[in-house]
PDB file of all heavy atoms in Angstrom:
ATOM      1  N   TYR A   1       0.814  -1.128   0.051  1.00  0.00           N
ATOM      2  CA  TYR A   1       0.005  -0.027  -0.064  1.00  0.00           C
ATOM      3  C   TYR A   1       0.875   1.256   0.033  1.00  0.00           C
ATOM      4  O   TYR A   1       0.676   2.232  -0.800  1.00  0.00           O
ATOM      5  CB  TYR A   1      -0.905   0.069   1.298  1.00  0.00           C
ATOM      6  CG  TYR A   1      -1.758   1.153   1.322  1.00  0.00           C
ATOM      7  CD1 TYR A   1      -2.988   1.312   0.585  1.00  0.00           C
ATOM      8  CD2 TYR A   1      -1.544   2.243   2.167  1.00  0.00           C
ATOM      9  CE1 TYR A   1      -3.859   2.445   0.618  1.00  0.00           C
ATOM     10  CE2 TYR A   1      -2.303   3.347   2.419  1.00  0.00           C
ATOM     11  CZ  TYR A   1      -3.558   3.366   1.616  1.00  0.00           C
ATOM     12  OH  TYR A   1      -4.271   4.466   1.736  1.00  0.00           O
ATOM     13  N   SER A   2       1.914   1.239   0.930  1.00  0.00           N
ATOM     14  CA  SER A   2       2.836   2.369   0.949  1.00  0.00           C
ATOM     15  C   SER A   2       3.545   2.553  -0.464  1.00  0.00           C
ATOM     16  O   SER A   2       3.643   3.769  -0.868  1.00  0.00           O
ATOM     17  CB  SER A   2       3.838   2.126   1.998  1.00  0.00           C
ATOM     18  OG  SER A   2       4.896   3.075   2.102  1.00  0.00           O
ATOM     19  N   ILE A   3       4.004   1.610  -1.065  1.00  0.00           N
ATOM     20  CA  ILE A   3       4.670   1.661  -2.417  1.00  0.00           C
ATOM     21  C   ILE A   3       3.663   2.346  -3.402  1.00  0.00           C
ATOM     22  O   ILE A   3       4.068   3.189  -4.202  1.00  0.00           O
ATOM     23  CB  ILE A   3       5.112   0.320  -2.830  1.00  0.00           C
ATOM     24  CG1 ILE A   3       6.214  -0.200  -1.991  1.00  0.00           C
ATOM     25  CG2 ILE A   3       5.474   0.298  -4.333  1.00  0.00           C
ATOM     26  CD1 ILE A   3       6.582  -1.640  -2.226  1.00  0.00           C
ATOM     27  N   SER A   4       2.444   1.880  -3.334  1.00  0.00           N
ATOM     28  CA  SER A   4       1.422   2.409  -4.314  1.00  0.00           C
ATOM     29  C   SER A   4       1.123   3.800  -4.061  1.00  0.00           C
ATOM     30  O   SER A   4       1.124   4.687  -5.026  1.00  0.00           O
ATOM     31  CB  SER A   4       0.140   1.653  -4.323  1.00  0.00           C
ATOM     32  OG  SER A   4      -0.626   1.931  -3.044  1.00  0.00           O
ATOM     33  N   LYS A   5       1.050   4.312  -2.839  1.00  0.00           N
ATOM     34  CA  LYS A   5       0.892   5.641  -2.549  1.00  0.00           C
ATOM     35  C   LYS A   5       2.053   6.627  -2.827  1.00  0.00           C
ATOM     36  O   LYS A   5       1.992   7.795  -3.174  1.00  0.00           O
ATOM     37  CB  LYS A   5       0.411   5.803  -1.153  1.00  0.00           C
ATOM     38  CG  LYS A   5      -0.988   5.169  -0.905  1.00  0.00           C
ATOM     39  CD  LYS A   5      -1.982   5.787  -1.872  1.00  0.00           C
ATOM     40  CE  LYS A   5      -3.457   5.279  -1.628  1.00  0.00           C
ATOM     41  NZ  LYS A   5      -4.417   5.908  -2.563  1.00  0.00           N
ATOM     42  N   THR A   6       3.301   5.969  -2.635  1.00  0.00           N
ATOM     43  CA  THR A   6       4.479   6.732  -3.118  1.00  0.00           C
ATOM     44  C   THR A   6       4.540   6.825  -4.645  1.00  0.00           C
ATOM     45  O   THR A   6       4.915   8.003  -5.151  1.00  0.00           O
ATOM     46  CB  THR A   6       5.825   5.986  -2.578  1.00  0.00           C
ATOM     47  OG1 THR A   6       5.748   5.815  -1.210  1.00  0.00           O
ATOM     48  CG2 THR A   6       7.108   6.694  -3.013  1.00  0.00           C
ATOM     49  N   ALA A   7       4.070   5.760  -5.285  1.00  0.00           N
ATOM     50  CA  ALA A   7       4.063   5.877  -6.754  1.00  0.00           C
ATOM     51  C   ALA A   7       3.050   7.041  -7.220  1.00  0.00           C
ATOM     52  O   ALA A   7       3.311   7.774  -8.201  1.00  0.00           O
ATOM     53  CB  ALA A   7       3.564   4.614  -7.344  1.00  0.00           C
ATOM     54  N   ASP A   8       1.957   7.153  -6.500  1.00  0.00           N
ATOM     55  CA  ASP A   8       1.011   8.229  -6.818  1.00  0.00           C
ATOM     56  C   ASP A   8       1.638   9.587  -6.701  1.00  0.00           C
ATOM     57  O   ASP A   8       1.404  10.474  -7.456  1.00  0.00           O
ATOM     58  CB  ASP A   8      -0.245   8.187  -5.915  1.00  0.00           C
ATOM     59  CG  ASP A   8      -1.189   7.133  -6.195  1.00  0.00           C
ATOM     60  OD1 ASP A   8      -1.326   6.772  -7.372  1.00  0.00           O
ATOM     61  OD2 ASP A   8      -1.916   6.740  -5.368  1.00  0.00           O
ATOM     62  N   ILE A   9       2.582   9.798  -5.724  1.00  0.00           N
ATOM     63  CA  ILE A   9       3.224  11.043  -5.525  1.00  0.00           C
ATOM     64  C   ILE A   9       4.139  11.259  -6.766  1.00  0.00           C
ATOM     65  O   ILE A   9       4.304  12.446  -7.264  1.00  0.00           O
ATOM     66  CB  ILE A   9       4.083  11.142  -4.145  1.00  0.00           C
ATOM     67  CG1 ILE A   9       2.984  11.119  -2.985  1.00  0.00           C
ATOM     68  CG2 ILE A   9       4.943  12.310  -4.164  1.00  0.00           C
ATOM     69  CD1 ILE A   9       3.554  10.858  -1.617  1.00  0.00           C
ATOM     70  N   GLY A  10       4.813  10.204  -7.197  1.00  0.00           N
ATOM     71  CA  GLY A  10       5.669  10.407  -8.349  1.00  0.00           C
ATOM     72  C   GLY A  10       4.825  10.736  -9.641  1.00  0.00           C
ATOM     73  O   GLY A  10       5.276  11.575 -10.391  1.00  0.00           O
ATOM     74  N   MET A  11       3.596  10.198  -9.721  1.00  0.00           N
ATOM     75  CA  MET A  11       2.711  10.490 -10.830  1.00  0.00           C
ATOM     76  C   MET A  11       2.356  12.021 -10.732  1.00  0.00           C
ATOM     77  O   MET A  11       2.358  12.693 -11.800  1.00  0.00           O
ATOM     78  CB  MET A  11       1.468   9.551 -10.884  1.00  0.00           C
ATOM     79  CG  MET A  11       0.632   9.792 -12.044  1.00  0.00           C
ATOM     80  SD  MET A  11      -0.910   8.830 -11.907  1.00  0.00           S
ATOM     81  CE  MET A  11      -0.419   7.314 -11.226  1.00  0.00           C
ATOM     82  N   ILE A  12       2.051  12.436  -9.566  1.00  0.00           N
ATOM     83  CA  ILE A  12       1.649  13.921  -9.334  1.00  0.00           C
ATOM     84  C   ILE A  12       2.728  14.792  -9.846  1.00  0.00           C
ATOM     85  O   ILE A  12       2.501  15.680 -10.620  1.00  0.00           O
ATOM     86  CB  ILE A  12       1.296  14.071  -7.800  1.00  0.00           C
ATOM     87  CG1 ILE A  12       0.075  13.338  -7.458  1.00  0.00           C
ATOM     88  CG2 ILE A  12       1.271  15.617  -7.555  1.00  0.00           C
ATOM     89  CD1 ILE A  12      -0.135  13.094  -5.920  1.00  0.00           C
ATOM     90  N   ARG A  13       3.937  14.514  -9.432  1.00  0.00           N
ATOM     91  CA  ARG A  13       4.959  15.416  -9.809  1.00  0.00           C
ATOM     92  C   ARG A  13       5.408  15.356 -11.340  1.00  0.00           C
ATOM     93  O   ARG A  13       5.601  16.343 -11.946  1.00  0.00           O
ATOM     94  CB  ARG A  13       6.318  15.000  -8.964  1.00  0.00           C
ATOM     95  CG  ARG A  13       6.075  15.274  -7.485  1.00  0.00           C
ATOM     96  CD  ARG A  13       7.294  14.928  -6.685  1.00  0.00           C
ATOM     97  NE  ARG A  13       7.054  15.289  -5.249  1.00  0.00           N
ATOM     98  CZ  ARG A  13       7.543  14.692  -4.257  1.00  0.00           C
ATOM     99  NH1 ARG A  13       8.418  13.755  -4.388  1.00  0.00           N
ATOM    100  NH2 ARG A  13       7.317  15.126  -3.077  1.00  0.00           N
ATOM    101  N   SER A  14       5.332  14.207 -11.826  1.00  0.00           N
ATOM    102  CA  SER A  14       5.614  13.952 -13.269  1.00  0.00           C
ATOM    103  C   SER A  14       4.565  14.639 -14.147  1.00  0.00           C
ATOM    104  O   SER A  14       4.802  15.438 -15.129  1.00  0.00           O
ATOM    105  CB  SER A  14       5.743  12.512 -13.679  1.00  0.00           C
ATOM    106  OG  SER A  14       6.900  12.039 -13.063  1.00  0.00           O
ATOM    107  N   LEU A  15       3.346  14.419 -13.778  1.00  0.00           N
ATOM    108  CA  LEU A  15       2.091  15.095 -14.551  1.00  0.00           C
ATOM    109  C   LEU A  15       2.278  16.538 -14.415  1.00  0.00           C
ATOM    110  O   LEU A  15       1.877  17.274 -15.404  1.00  0.00           O
ATOM    111  CB  LEU A  15       0.893  14.513 -14.105  1.00  0.00           C
ATOM    112  CG  LEU A  15       0.404  12.998 -14.541  1.00  0.00           C
ATOM    113  CD1 LEU A  15      -0.794  12.577 -13.916  1.00  0.00           C
ATOM    114  CD2 LEU A  15       0.376  13.061 -16.103  1.00  0.00           C
ATOM    115  N   ALA A  16       2.647  17.031 -13.252  1.00  0.00           N
ATOM    116  CA  ALA A  16       2.725  18.501 -13.103  1.00  0.00           C
ATOM    117  C   ALA A  16       3.715  19.088 -14.002  1.00  0.00           C
ATOM    118  O   ALA A  16       3.544  20.131 -14.616  1.00  0.00           O
ATOM    119  CB  ALA A  16       3.072  18.897 -11.743  1.00  0.00           C
ATOM    120  N   VAL A  17       4.879  18.507 -14.204  1.00  0.00           N
ATOM    121  CA  VAL A  17       5.893  18.889 -15.104  1.00  0.00           C
ATOM    122  C   VAL A  17       5.416  18.813 -16.570  1.00  0.00           C
ATOM    123  O   VAL A  17       5.572  19.688 -17.353  1.00  0.00           O
ATOM    124  CB  VAL A  17       7.265  17.995 -14.899  1.00  0.00           C
ATOM    125  CG1 VAL A  17       8.221  18.318 -15.999  1.00  0.00           C
ATOM    126  CG2 VAL A  17       7.757  18.347 -13.528  1.00  0.00           C
ATOM    127  N   GLU A  18       4.684  17.715 -16.950  1.00  0.00           N
ATOM    128  CA  GLU A  18       4.337  17.591 -18.252  1.00  0.00           C
ATOM    129  C   GLU A  18       3.158  18.528 -18.664  1.00  0.00           C
ATOM    130  O   GLU A  18       3.096  18.900 -19.826  1.00  0.00           O
ATOM    131  CB  GLU A  18       3.824  16.085 -18.498  1.00  0.00           C
ATOM    132  CG  GLU A  18       4.850  15.060 -18.425  1.00  0.00           C
ATOM    133  CD  GLU A  18       4.312  13.610 -18.646  1.00  0.00           C
ATOM    134  OE1 GLU A  18       3.163  13.482 -19.000  1.00  0.00           O
ATOM    135  OE2 GLU A  18       5.036  12.694 -18.342  1.00  0.00           O
ATOM    136  N   LEU A  19       2.238  18.854 -17.712  1.00  0.00           N
ATOM    137  CA  LEU A  19       1.107  19.503 -18.052  1.00  0.00           C
ATOM    138  C   LEU A  19       1.054  21.018 -17.671  1.00  0.00           C
ATOM    139  O   LEU A  19       0.130  21.749 -18.029  1.00  0.00           O
ATOM    140  CB  LEU A  19      -0.152  18.852 -17.321  1.00  0.00           C
ATOM    141  CG  LEU A  19      -0.421  17.357 -17.790  1.00  0.00           C
ATOM    142  CD1 LEU A  19      -1.482  16.698 -16.930  1.00  0.00           C
ATOM    143  CD2 LEU A  19      -0.623  17.274 -19.209  1.00  0.00           C
ATOM    144  N   GLY A  20       2.060  21.530 -16.984  1.00  0.00           N
ATOM    145  CA  GLY A  20       2.195  22.880 -16.683  1.00  0.00           C
ATOM    146  C   GLY A  20       1.997  23.826 -17.819  1.00  0.00           C
ATOM    147  O   GLY A  20       1.323  24.816 -17.787  1.00  0.00           O
ATOM    148  N   LYS A  21       2.621  23.461 -18.968  1.00  0.00           N
ATOM    149  CA  LYS A  21       2.571  24.337 -20.198  1.00  0.00           C
ATOM    150  C   LYS A  21       1.241  24.416 -20.712  1.00  0.00           C
ATOM    151  O   LYS A  21       0.831  25.253 -21.534  1.00  0.00           O
ATOM    152  CB  LYS A  21       3.577  23.752 -21.224  1.00  0.00           C
ATOM    153  CG  LYS A  21       3.290  22.420 -21.757  1.00  0.00           C
ATOM    154  CD  LYS A  21       4.370  21.940 -22.695  1.00  0.00           C
ATOM    155  CE  LYS A  21       4.267  20.374 -22.927  1.00  0.00           C
ATOM    156  NZ  LYS A  21       5.132  19.664 -22.141  1.00  0.00           N
ATOM    157  N   PHE A  22       0.229  23.618 -20.268  1.00  0.00           N
ATOM    158  CA  PHE A  22      -1.112  23.640 -20.729  1.00  0.00           C
ATOM    159  C   PHE A  22      -2.083  24.345 -19.691  1.00  0.00           C
ATOM    160  O   PHE A  22      -3.204  24.262 -19.773  1.00  0.00           O
ATOM    161  CB  PHE A  22      -1.647  22.222 -21.058  1.00  0.00           C
ATOM    162  CG  PHE A  22      -0.863  21.470 -22.070  1.00  0.00           C
ATOM    163  CD1 PHE A  22      -0.078  20.472 -21.681  1.00  0.00           C
ATOM    164  CD2 PHE A  22      -0.878  21.862 -23.354  1.00  0.00           C
ATOM    165  CE1 PHE A  22       0.686  19.796 -22.669  1.00  0.00           C
ATOM    166  CE2 PHE A  22      -0.187  21.258 -24.384  1.00  0.00           C
ATOM    167  CZ  PHE A  22       0.559  20.216 -24.055  1.00  0.00           C
ATOM    168  N   ASN A  23      -1.419  24.905 -18.596  1.00  0.00           N
ATOM    169  CA  ASN A  23      -2.079  25.642 -17.621  1.00  0.00           C
ATOM    170  C   ASN A  23      -2.959  24.592 -16.776  1.00  0.00           C
ATOM    171  O   ASN A  23      -4.111  24.910 -16.324  1.00  0.00           O
ATOM    172  CB  ASN A  23      -2.970  26.730 -18.145  1.00  0.00           C
ATOM    173  CG  ASN A  23      -3.299  27.733 -16.950  1.00  0.00           C
ATOM    174  OD1 ASN A  23      -2.601  27.911 -15.991  1.00  0.00           O
ATOM    175  ND2 ASN A  23      -4.515  28.273 -17.122  1.00  0.00           N
ATOM    176  N   ILE A  24      -2.384  23.372 -16.646  1.00  0.00           N
ATOM    177  CA  ILE A  24      -3.059  22.418 -15.843  1.00  0.00           C
ATOM    178  C   ILE A  24      -2.186  22.084 -14.521  1.00  0.00           C
ATOM    179  O   ILE A  24      -1.140  21.848 -14.620  1.00  0.00           O
ATOM    180  CB  ILE A  24      -3.259  21.065 -16.639  1.00  0.00           C
ATOM    181  CG1 ILE A  24      -4.041  21.268 -17.888  1.00  0.00           C
ATOM    182  CG2 ILE A  24      -3.820  19.893 -15.759  1.00  0.00           C
ATOM    183  CD1 ILE A  24      -4.058  20.090 -18.882  1.00  0.00           C
ATOM    184  N   ASN A  25      -2.915  22.302 -13.490  1.00  0.00           N
ATOM    185  CA  ASN A  25      -2.220  22.041 -12.152  1.00  0.00           C
ATOM    186  C   ASN A  25      -2.483  20.605 -11.729  1.00  0.00           C
ATOM    187  O   ASN A  25      -3.584  20.147 -11.897  1.00  0.00           O
ATOM    188  CB  ASN A  25      -2.788  23.007 -11.039  1.00  0.00           C
ATOM    189  CG  ASN A  25      -2.581  24.388 -11.331  1.00  0.00           C
ATOM    190  OD1 ASN A  25      -2.995  24.892 -12.465  1.00  0.00           O
ATOM    191  ND2 ASN A  25      -1.981  25.175 -10.522  1.00  0.00           N
ATOM    192  N   VAL A  26      -1.438  19.978 -11.159  1.00  0.00           N
ATOM    193  CA  VAL A  26      -1.655  18.616 -10.647  1.00  0.00           C
ATOM    194  C   VAL A  26      -1.013  18.562  -9.295  1.00  0.00           C
ATOM    195  O   VAL A  26       0.119  18.965  -9.073  1.00  0.00           O
ATOM    196  CB  VAL A  26      -0.819  17.599 -11.568  1.00  0.00           C
ATOM    197  CG1 VAL A  26      -1.143  16.191 -11.044  1.00  0.00           C
ATOM    198  CG2 VAL A  26      -1.270  17.761 -12.985  1.00  0.00           C
ATOM    199  N   ASN A  27      -1.895  18.314  -8.278  1.00  0.00           N
ATOM    200  CA  ASN A  27      -1.438  18.232  -6.966  1.00  0.00           C
ATOM    201  C   ASN A  27      -2.035  16.964  -6.136  1.00  0.00           C
ATOM    202  O   ASN A  27      -2.798  16.194  -6.923  1.00  0.00           O
ATOM    203  CB  ASN A  27      -1.956  19.454  -6.229  1.00  0.00           C
ATOM    204  CG  ASN A  27      -1.162  20.543  -6.707  1.00  0.00           C
ATOM    205  OD1 ASN A  27       0.041  20.829  -6.499  1.00  0.00           O
ATOM    206  ND2 ASN A  27      -1.846  21.593  -7.317  1.00  0.00           N
ATOM    207  N   GLY A  28      -1.572  16.747  -5.031  1.00  0.00           N
ATOM    208  CA  GLY A  28      -2.118  15.563  -4.266  1.00  0.00           C
ATOM    209  C   GLY A  28      -2.454  15.845  -2.849  1.00  0.00           C
ATOM    210  O   GLY A  28      -2.002  16.949  -2.327  1.00  0.00           O
TER     211      GLY A  28
END
């Protein structure tokens, strides 16, 4: 469960980097 929730944090950060240029905020 801990690993899966850590992976979610990685997804949040990666999507924020990818989507910022489209004015899309990604947070958790």
